[in-house]
Amino acid sequence: MTSECSPRFLASDNTSGLCPEAMEYLLEANRSDDLAYGNDTWTARAADRFREMFDYDCDVFFVFNGTAANSLALSAMGRSYHSVICHELAHIETDECGGPEFFSNGAKLLTSPGANGKLTPEGIEALVTKRSDIHYPKPKVVSLTQATEVGTLYSREELMAIRAIADKHDLRLHMDGARFANACASLNATPAELTWQVGVDALCFSGTKNGLAFGEAILFFNRELAEDFSYRCKQAGQLASKMRFISAPWLGLLESGAWLTNAQHANAMASYLSEGLQALPGVSLMFPTQANSVFVELPLPAIEALKAKGWTFYTFIGAGGARFVCAWNTTVELLDELLADIRAVLER
């Protein structure tokens, strides 16, 4: 049995360990030496596997973390006097310490509101047409988060509508795919159907939230934007000398299919938790549960009582709001414990 104050982790899918498939390939890559700086066989195989999976001859780069992936990708998509349009809750706006602006040498983020954490064509156009004088940073990129910061999803139709407004105003389209695998699983869509087929120019695909220890993949479908990108990675300290230890675990996810089954499991656990929460009296969801995150309103005393019992979760979405995130290794038993504790503290 779990003691009352033992940590029980549902704050983020970043708290989970390596999945078995990633660990297996990591150990295999460690059995023999190989070339450095991405010239190894593991990195070449992983890049080719991405191209096969996306059915596209894209340029593939590996970096350590999501902030670097987003910041470097965006820096390649515009110039210092340009701007990037994103949702007001986007990770690049709220949680990357100015990284996108820093690596682009000053490109400004322009934010727009939108229901359920999603940008709309109308919101994008309002920012593009707000001003056209030389004193306003010229909009050049739209950045979408899939799944969004509040756990919702852009449908293919929504993505195509955004691509249409981007084409109208000559904008490039970046996708922050911190939970891209969860989006594919939930929408029952192929990676191609949610990226280049709807006009995405560059995708930052997270492995960390999907069963890796570290490592993000940047895929450029618009290959012109990837010119000299390897130099950006090197200059930013993102060129791993032993790159195979980033790419081999990725290959484990891709070749085994765990990238998708991990996401399917995490989504199923979030759905289970969401249904259980909605069955409790006085509990209401803040946003639809569409991927692996559950946002719920709870009384503040209940939040404090749960944290005292060792539950880890974030409350950054406002007073009374709590976020629970499920991962590849979340269990029904853990969620049943949470639901029982929530019911108990509410009944008090």
Side-chain angles (χ1 to χ4, degrees):
M1 293 292 292
T2 304
S3 65
E4 187 172 82
C5 293
S6 297
R8 290 176 282 184
F9 297 103
L10 285 167
S12 173
D13 33 16
N14 286 330
T15 61
S16 63
L18 277 77
C19 68
E21 297 82 359
M23 181 66 80
E24 177 187 349
Y25 275 63
L26 180 63
L27 293 174
E28 185 62 30
N30 193 49
R31 295 189 196 283
S32 60
D33 294 352
D34 210 325
L35 295 174
Y37 301 111
N39 296 309
D40 58 279
T41 55
W42 294 95
T43 300
R45 284 173 59 193
D48 284 342
R49 191 67 183 83
F50 270 118
R51 296 182 185 108
E52 180 182 333
M53 189 172 86
F54 280 81
D55 193 25
Y56 199 93
D57 188 20
C58 52
D59 281 337
V60 182
F61 301 88
F62 296 97
V63 295
F64 289 103
N65 57 38
T67 295
N70 286 330
S71 300
L72 292 173
L74 289 170
S75 73
M77 300 179 77
R79 298 185 180 275
S80 59
Y81 49 83
H82 285 146
S83 56
V84 176
I85 294 171
C86 63
H87 193 273
E88 61 185 359
L89 299 179
H91 202 270
I92 61 171
E93 162 67 11
T94 64
D95 289 280
E96 294 188 349
C97 197
E101 296 96 331
F102 176 81
F103 282 100
S104 65
N105 290 318
K108 185 174 178 60
L109 301 184
L110 301 178
T111 64
S112 173
N116 291 327
K118 294 190 284 187
L119 278 177
T120 64
E122 296 77 17
I124 293 168
E125 185 152 52
L127 287 172
V128 174
T129 60
K130 181 179 179 180
R131 287 169 59 181
S132 60
D133 59 274
I134 201 168
H135 305 288
Y136 189 65
K138 183 179 181 180
K140 193 61 178 179
V141 184
V142 174
S143 180
L144 305 175
T145 310
Q146 177 81 308
T148 72
E149 297 300 323
V150 296
T152 54
L153 300 172
Y154 289 94
S155 67
R156 275 178 49 82
E157 292 71 25
E158 288 172 317
L159 293 172
M160 287 188 286
I162 288 173
R163 180 69 257 182
I165 202 70
D167 286 339
K168 178 180 177 181
H169 296 289
D170 190 27
L171 304 175
R172 292 158 178 169
L173 191 55
H174 163 263
M175 181 172 283
D176 176 352
R179 296 183 175 92
F180 179 73
N182 302 90
C184 290
S186 183
L187 295 172
N188 194 27
T190 67
E193 288 173 331
L194 295 183
T195 54
W196 64 269
Q197 289 185 7
V198 291
V200 172
D201 292 301
L203 166 71
C204 297
F205 193 163
S206 174
T208 309
K209 292 177 170 58
N210 193 225
L212 302 189
F214 52 84
E216 317 294 297
I218 306 169
L219 282 63
F220 284 99
F221 306 104
N222 181 345
R223 298 183 67 180
E224 292 181 1
L225 299 175
E227 182 180 0
D228 292 337
F229 192 75
S230 57
Y231 288 86
R232 291 184 185 273
C233 293
K234 172 61 178 178
Q235 188 180 62
Q238 292 294 316
L239 178 62
S241 57
K242 297 184 180 180
M243 183 72 77
R244 69 186 187 279
F245 295 119
I246 295 179
S247 56
W250 256 118
L251 192 63
L253 291 186
L254 301 180
E255 288 194 342
S256 68
W259 75 273
L260 184 58
T261 55
N262 283 351
Q264 289 169 335
H265 175 80
N267 290 357
M269 292 296 95
S271 179
Y272 179 87
L273 176 59
S274 180
E275 292 172 6
L277 287 168
Q278 291 178 80
L280 298 178
V283 175
S284 60
L285 296 184
M286 300 177 69
F287 305 101
T289 302
Q290 296 179 337
N292 65 320
S293 302
V294 182
F295 291 79
V296 64
E297 289 184 354
L298 294 171
L300 288 177
I303 288 176
E304 293 169 0
L306 289 173
K307 289 189 173 182
K309 287 177 172 288
W311 291 103
T312 71
F313 54 93
Y314 286 122
T315 55
F316 57 80
I317 55 279
R323 186 191 80 167
F324 299 96
V325 183
C326 298
W328 68 270
N329 59 347
T330 301
T331 64
V332 169
E333 291 76 15
L334 180 70
L335 299 182
D336 282 343
E337 284 186 39
L338 173 64
L339 291 168
D341 280 353
I342 293 176
R343 179 183 292 276
V345 297
L346 290 177
E347 287 176 350
R348 282 192 220 138

